[in-house]
Amino acid sequence: MLRYRLFNATILTLLTVFIVCPTFLGQALFAAEKYELSRFISPETCGDCHSEIFSQWSNSMHSLAQKDPVYLNVSEFLRKGLVDQDEIAEAESCVKCHVPVGVVTGYPTKLSDDKRKIPDIANKGIQCDYCHSAIGAEKIYNNDIKLNPGHGEDDPGTKNGPRKDAESDFHETKYSKFHTRSEICGTCHNVKHVVFNTDLETTYEEWKKGPYNSHDPEKRITCQGCHMFQRPDLPATGSTKRIKNKGEAADDGPVREHVFTHYFVGGNRFIPEKFGDREKGKMAEERLKNSASLAIETGEIEKGKLGIKITNTGAGHYLPTGLTNIRQMWLEITIKDSDNGKTVYESGKFDQDSCLKDDAIIFNTVFGDGKGNPVVNIAKAREVLKDKRIPPLESLTETIQLPLEKWNHLSVHVKLLYRSAPQKILDMVSGKGKIKLPVVTMASVDRKIAKP
Ligand code: HEC
Ligand code: HEC
Ligand code: HEC
Ligand code: HEC
Ligand code: HEC
């Protein structure tokens, strides 16, 4: 009987290896070392001594990476109905970055695992003990972070950070160059399709080849140099001052010239607010409003051509960056005849369902199925069809053609607008009108023009 069971178990194991594994190619990518769940310490415990950093991190996009309803709805939706094994492997891979503590402790291993069984600590997203157990990474994409966690609260091990002189009674501390570099961020902020290798998010690459990755220490700004200097009313972008945050990194610790902040605010005006954190929503708006400038160019107006120049003044990467097949950054243009008030030209307006009309000039990426047809599902992304965005400290000029004969004086209003996702996609994944994302005005310019 026992032998029979063993035999059965062996067959089952073999079946699992030969049938299930190729099915979830993604799993092979998670083959990284696994740790006992009890080795990770909850963020609340860290917060006992690092209370300020803890409150900054709470309700950040990092802390909400697994609770974010937009992420949850989109990921579920994209997984549905897939049959191609390569596409399934990608659609199942999301947990690697969105639930990292779960993945390295063995559950979940894939998106479709039962979410109710995810341990409490893993649901706390990208957290203190994950980042501060990090000791390096070989590949700077798809979260290849190597860890050296402690053994729970009784033996918390070493927390790696930027200080050479930090001392704590609770845990060992160690200076880690990795934590001071953009690479620690780039391991997750560079996303490639797990099978097709298509570049899905390239924030780190954009920074790496850009002007902020400079050898000149005066010009060099890491991800942390902007994002971990921000605090309320101090957006800390490329176009603002990045004032040092003097204070204590631990309660009753020594005063430091700069304590790295942990709000991790980007462009998301909605998710932290949904969890009751209005401050971070406001900070996202402050960040977006200090990212770009707009100018109107009338050099060829005698031919009816009007230029609109957008400059990326504040972002350390392309504008927009990240999930740019979903993000919307576009121009809203209204041009009126100042003599009679009639509209001469218009683009970038919403229809009655808050969907952006097709005529909008939008800065984004579009993926293709390998045969030139656009796809929304990143699991199917075999190629990049379009990449129209603005590199750091560079400009892009859009030229529009006006009907020259019809006017003598014009008043031109242009806005650069941002929304984290199109209403059409939100309606599709969450139900019509269930989620409405705010629109942020990043920059605007008005100009009166007389016919030459
Ligand atoms: C009992 C109090 C206490 C607890 C609990 C605690 N820390 Fe600390 N930690 C400190 C003190 C004190 C320092 C030193 C601060 C300084 O020198 O500015 C420190 C320093 C650090 C540093 C900087 C290390 C360096 O070399 O740069 C990191 C990172 C850190 N802690 C992470 C954590 C994490 C993660 C947790 C939870 C797993 C945690 N701490 C829990 C007291 C604590
Ligand atoms: C996404 C990864 C990440 C998360 C999550 C994270 N940290 Fe950090 N933390 C960093 C990095 C990176 C630095 C150093 C920045 C630098 O030197 O450029 C840092 C710095 C620190 C420091 C030293 C600050 C200083 O200026 O002396 C402490 C203490 C710390 N973190 C504690 C925490 C605690 C507590 C939490 C959870 C509430 C946390 N961290 C969450 C990445 C993270
Ligand atoms: C373990 C993976 C991981 C690491 C390491 C990581 N991030 Fe993130 N980060 C994410 C994920 C996933 C999200 C998005 C969560 C969501 O939208 O649900 C995110 C979101 C953000 C956002 C908010 C984006 C928005 O739209 O508002 C910022 C800003 C950010 N990260 C900056 C950083 C910086 C700076 C570092 C390095 C110090 C870093 N991240 C390290 C995974 C990571
Ligand atoms: C010079 C300052 C600066 C540097 C350096 C910088 N950023 Fe940003 N970041 C910004 C600004 C400004 C925004 C808001 C505009 C936007 O959304 O792109 C932003 C937005 C973001 C967002 C949200 C994008 C979105 O719209 O969803 C993420 C994620 C992010 N940054 C990550 C990073 C990472 C990772 C690095 C390093 C590789 C980095 N940033 C370096 C200034 C900076
Ligand atoms: C290699 C790490 C990584 C993997 C794997 C990953 N993501 Fe993300 N995800 C990120 C980062 C980083 C951001 C933040 C970028 C930004 O703000 O633009 C993000 C943001 C998002 C957001 C935006 C949420 C919001 O509120 O706006 C969605 C949706 C999302 N991811 C879906 C997915 C899906 C679906 C998968 C799996 C098919 C996946 N992600 C796999 C790193 C990852």
Side-chain angles (χ1 to χ4, degrees):
M1 189 64 190
L2 183 68
R3 266 186 67 188
Y4 175 75
R5 266 206 218 128
L6 273 176
F7 176 74
N8 247 356
T10 317
I11 297 255
L12 258 177
T13 315
L14 285 175
L15 278 176
T16 314
V17 169
F18 288 110
I19 298 172
V20 181
C21 283
T23 308
F24 294 117
L25 236 180
Q27 277 192 335
L29 295 151
F30 297 176
E33 217 172 322
K34 292 269 188 285
Y35 306 94
E36 292 283 319
L37 186 66
S38 61
R39 292 183 68 172
F40 287 89
I41 299 171
S42 82
E44 284 75 16
T45 303
C46 311
D48 282 345
C49 301
H50 298 287
S51 57
E52 217 161 301
I53 290 177
F54 175 77
S55 81
Q56 295 169 353
W57 169 85
S58 302
N59 297 315
S60 66
M61 293 304 285
H62 282 161
S63 78
L64 297 170
Q66 156 67 2
K67 295 181 189 145
D68 173 344
V70 173
Y71 158 71
L72 288 171
N73 293 349
V74 167
S75 57
E76 295 278 312
F77 185 83
L78 298 184
R79 175 64 187 85
K80 272 187 214 146
L82 294 178
V83 286
D84 179 306
Q85 298 307 328
D86 296 343
E87 295 174 3
I88 290 174
E90 171 60 27
E92 291 283 9
S93 77
C94 324
V95 288
K96 181 137 201 200
C97 296
H98 286 266
V99 205
V101 170
V103 168
V104 299
T105 54
Y107 197 89
T109 60
K110 53 186 190 299
L111 180 80
S112 57
D113 281 345
D114 186 348
K115 292 199 170 53
R116 289 165 305 182
K117 291 190 189 148
I118 297 179
D120 197 31
I121 189 167
N123 268 324
K124 294 179 182 175
I126 300 152
Q127 48 191 283
C128 322
D129 213 12
Y130 184 79
C131 281
H132 289 293
S133 297
I135 49 172
E138 272 154 38
K139 295 179 303 192
I140 310 300
Y141 60 89
N142 289 3
N143 191 3
D144 183 44
I145 286 182
K146 304 283 179 280
L147 299 171
N148 181 23
H151 291 85
E153 290 188 19
D154 294 336
D155 177 14
T158 304
K159 305 307 159 209
N160 306 289
R163 305 276 171 208
K164 290 180 173 145
D165 61 347
E167 275 181 49
S168 151
D169 296 339
F170 179 64
H171 54 71
E172 301 293 320
T173 59
K174 193 171 170 201
Y175 169 72
S176 156
K177 198 171 174 194
F178 185 53
H179 284 73
T180 68
R181 297 180 58 98
S182 293
E183 281 70 23
I184 191 172
C185 316
T187 56
C188 294
H189 286 268
N190 244 9
V191 190
K192 277 184 194 287
H193 192 291
V194 293
V195 182
F196 310 144
N197 269 327
T198 319
D199 286 319
L200 302 175
E201 290 183 33
T202 52
T203 304
Y204 168 75
E205 281 310 317
E206 296 156 17
W207 171 86
K208 192 178 169 199
K209 65 183 184 204
Y212 294 110
N213 180 21
S214 168
H215 292 299
D216 177 354
E218 291 287 303
K219 292 193 186 127
R220 183 179 177 81
I221 311 178
T222 57
C223 315
Q224 295 91 323
C226 284
H227 289 281
M228 297 183 81
F229 274 64
Q230 183 172 11
R231 47 210 192 270
D233 303 323
L234 289 169
T237 72
S239 61
T240 69
K241 287 203 173 106
R242 291 175 309 285
I243 299 166
K244 285 188 176 149
N245 175 40
K246 194 170 174 171
E248 293 161 5
D251 306 347
D252 304 321
V255 172
R256 305 289 190 177
E257 279 309 304
H258 174 68
V259 179
F260 289 92
T261 63
H262 282 67
Y263 295 95
F264 299 113
V265 167
N268 208 303
R269 179 80 181 74
F270 176 73
I271 297 295
E273 276 200 7
K274 185 150 176 66
F275 287 81
D277 194 326
R278 297 195 53 197
E279 187 172 65
K280 287 193 187 70
K282 195 166 159 271
M283 286 170 74
E285 191 155 340
E286 285 168 2
R287 194 156 210 47
L288 288 166
K289 285 189 185 304
N290 287 285
S291 299
S293 69
L294 276 181
I296 290 173
E297 294 179 337
T298 53
E300 288 189 294
I301 195 70
E302 75 279 2
K303 294 185 207 146
K305 288 190 196 309
L306 189 74
I308 300 168
K309 185 177 170 188
I310 310 106
T311 305
N312 175 350
T313 55
H317 30 71
Y318 283 19
L319 201 60
T321 192
L323 212 68
T324 42
N325 67 316
I326 289 191
R327 306 286 184 233
Q328 292 185 308
M329 184 180 100
W330 76 100
L331 292 172
E332 187 191 84
I333 308 169
T334 317
I335 303 180
K336 290 196 162 146
D337 185 327
S338 349
D339 298 324
N340 59 22
K342 282 195 182 137
T343 303
V344 177
Y345 182 100
E346 193 178 72
S347 99
K349 304 271 171 167
F350 284 164
D351 65 16
Q352 68 278 10
D353 294 324
S354 302
C355 293
L356 195 52
K357 291 187 190 160
D358 290 339
D359 67 356
I361 299 170
I362 184 160
F363 305 91
N364 64 353
T365 48
V366 176
F367 298 124
D369 63 356
K371 297 179 202 124
N373 307 305
V375 289
V376 177
N377 192 343
I378 49 175
K380 295 175 186 280
R382 286 170 173 80
E383 62 189 325
V384 179
L385 289 181
K386 170 191 171 194
D387 185 352
K388 181 177 173 182
R389 296 179 295 147
I390 309 158
L393 298 179
E394 289 187 26
S395 303
L396 202 147
T397 302
E398 282 295 320
T399 306
I400 56 174
Q401 183 67 50
L402 298 171
L404 199 56
E405 64 286 355
K406 289 194 180 148
W407 53 273
N408 290 313
H409 301 94
L410 290 180
S411 66
V412 180
H413 306 281
V414 184
K415 285 185 192 166
L416 184 65
L417 300 176
Y418 178 95
R419 178 165 71 174
S420 288
Q423 193 62 43
K424 221 181 276 175
I425 289 187
L426 295 170
D427 287 350
M428 207 154 61
V429 304
S430 316
K432 200 168 168 174
K434 281 265 168 62
I435 296 184
K436 287 225 160 173
L437 297 180
V439 175
V440 177
T441 302
M442 297 174 66
S444 63
V445 59
D446 293 337
R447 184 81 179 263
K448 300 250 183 277
I449 298 169
K451 192 177 250 171

